Amino acid sequence: MSAAPVLCLRPECKVAQTGHCDLKHDPIELCPNYGKTAQPPSAPPSEDQPVPRRTGPAAIEISSGDTMQWEDLEAFSRGHRMRTVSLIGEPRSGKTTLIAAIYALLCKGAVGDRVFVGSRTLVGFAKRHHLALLNSERRSPKTPRTSRDDPTAFFHLSLRPAAGEPTSQLIVSDRSGEAYQAARQDTGLVKNLTELRLAERACFVLNAAKLTNPERHAAYSRQFKQMIHAFRDNGAFRDDVAIEVLATKIDTTNKPDRATESAAVLADYEAQIVAEFRASGVELGFHRVCALPKSHLDTGYLGLSETVARWTSPRQLPHVVQPAVGDAFRQIDRLLAKW
């Protein structure tokens, strides 16, 4: 009797019994360990065998085009002024789908008034977008989940407004939703989310399908606000960070049987969360997007051009003009009033 085939390089993985990847890769074919067997260690070279020496010019490292890691980002930042965005959300909120959708629209032309100039991570974008294409031979489009075993990835886009303004170097970070979920439950893990300190804009991704589900609304709405509070209160962000909520999967709220009810739930939650954080001195933006319309095709791609424009627009400088003092005792203090 032949032995069962080895389905994973990791001996502790139970994919053969469960059919699911322990590292949360979905589909499982995207796991780098799936379908591989451990190779026997190669024998060390004998002492009598000479070790070949490399001759010729030094090798030139060529970029792979895959996602950037921390060392790549550090090298890139030394020569470019970056606009940094962190996508934050729990599993299946739509972070990777949003990244893939922006790439797909740029493949067809300008997104709004933003024109594609270049990218250091085109291969990384293409890997995320592949499963949404017809040639992936899937029954319905989807994007792969980011595994908790994957390191933080950074995507790069160089975009220029059609009016000819300076080019923006946009960096978008992507991390597994399980990491953010764990940090919400245990705030001691917030310090490990180092990409958040780099972000000029923190984008919390809200799953509108869960929010408008009557059975999940109460728990999910509470957990989503809890995540924002947990990260802010534990120093995850820089002081001048812009915080926004991006409601995804809007197509699920436009189904004819529940469209009116879902719209009311979403509008009520928007008013509630904006007012709550405004009372704490935080101006929270709330926006809606549809990156992959599957449940309601007429919704189409919604809000992506506005999102890209918002992420690449120059930050407004703070108001630093000092008010004039008209009745000051010293003449030097009255200069602003005289001018």
Side-chain angles (χ1 to χ4, degrees):
M1 182 175 179
S2 60
V6 178
L7 295 181
C8 185
L9 185 61
R10 300 169 63 248
E12 66 274 15
C13 183
K14 300 179 180 179
V15 64
Q17 292 79 28
T18 64
H20 300 286
C21 177
D22 284 357
L23 300 179
K24 305 301 182 182
H25 284 96
D26 183 16
I28 58 176
E29 290 82 4
L30 293 178
C31 179
N33 303 308
Y34 181 73
K36 297 180 180 179
T37 56
Q39 299 295 328
S42 56
S46 62
E47 297 180 358
D48 299 334
Q49 182 180 1
V51 178
R53 294 185 178 182
R54 179 179 182 143
T55 59
I60 299 176
E61 184 177 354
I62 300 176
S63 174
S64 66
D66 211 334
T67 53
M68 301 169 74
Q69 306 302 318
W70 274 108
E71 57 273 16
D72 306 316
L73 190 64
E74 290 174 2
F76 183 77
S77 66
R78 289 194 287 268
H80 301 82
R81 172 68 173 90
M82 304 184 303
R83 305 300 311 279
T84 50
V85 176
S86 281
L87 292 180
I88 308 164
E90 298 198 359
R92 300 190 182 278
S93 58
K95 302 182 297 297
T96 305
T97 302
L98 176 62
I99 291 172
I102 292 174
Y103 163 76
L105 290 183
L106 286 170
C107 287
K108 299 177 182 178
V111 176
D113 69 336
R114 286 337 190 242
V115 179
F116 177 78
V117 176
S119 174
R120 299 284 184 98
T121 58
L122 283 178
V123 175
F125 278 117
K127 287 180 179 179
R128 270 65 174 181
H129 181 55
H130 169 67
L131 296 181
L133 299 175
L134 286 175
N135 59 12
S136 68
E137 299 182 354
R138 298 187 64 86
R139 294 183 179 180
S140 63
K142 68 175 299 180
T143 52
R145 290 186 60 198
T146 304
S147 170
R148 67 186 181 194
D149 198 45
D150 293 337
T152 305
F154 297 93
F155 293 87
H156 166 249
L157 282 173
S158 183
L159 303 174
R160 176 177 53 81
E165 299 175 12
T167 300
S168 298
Q169 306 294 338
L170 178 64
I171 300 293
V172 182
S173 68
D174 184 32
R175 182 194 278 266
S176 166
E178 283 83 3
Y180 293 125
Q181 186 179 54
R184 172 182 64 81
Q185 297 168 345
D186 179 4
T187 54
L189 299 175
V190 171
K191 63 180 183 295
N192 298 331
L193 307 176
T194 50
E195 74 278 5
L196 301 186
R197 290 293 298 176
L198 180 70
E200 297 177 340
R201 182 177 295 272
C203 180
F204 286 86
V205 182
L206 173 72
N207 188 333
K210 289 184 179 180
L211 182 71
T212 57
N213 186 331
E215 297 178 357
R216 309 184 72 173
H217 172 78
Y220 183 71
S221 60
R222 182 185 69 254
Q223 292 168 359
F224 186 80
K225 289 191 291 185
Q226 182 186 24
M227 176 181 288
I228 304 178
H229 282 295
F231 289 3
R232 283 193 65 249
D233 297 345
N234 288 275
F237 307 115
R238 47 198 276 184
D239 294 337
D240 61 342
V241 67
I243 300 179
E244 68 178 32
V245 174
L246 207 57
T248 60
K249 305 186 180 183
I250 294 298
D251 57 311
T252 62
T253 69
N254 289 337
K255 295 180 180 179
D257 55 335
R258 297 194 67 250
T260 303
E261 180 183 352
S262 297
V265 170
L266 195 59
D268 179 70
Y269 189 71
E270 175 184 356
Q272 180 186 133
I273 195 172
V274 169
E276 178 177 331
F277 281 92
R278 182 174 293 158
S280 304
V282 178
E283 288 298 327
L284 194 73
F286 195 101
H287 311 280
R288 295 165 172 79
V289 296
C290 179
L292 190 60
K294 295 191 295 184
S295 300
H296 188 259
L297 297 180
D298 291 341
T299 302
Y301 291 95
L302 176 69
L304 294 179
S305 59
E306 294 83 357
T307 298
V308 172
R310 195 167 57 250
W311 288 356
T312 55
S313 296
R315 292 286 301 274
Q316 293 184 353
L317 296 177
H319 184 74
V320 296
V321 177
Q322 297 296 322
V325 182
D327 55 349
F329 291 103
R330 300 185 304 172
Q331 290 296 326
I332 192 171
D333 295 330
R334 302 183 183 183
L335 285 178
L336 291 177
K338 293 179 181 180
W339 288 347

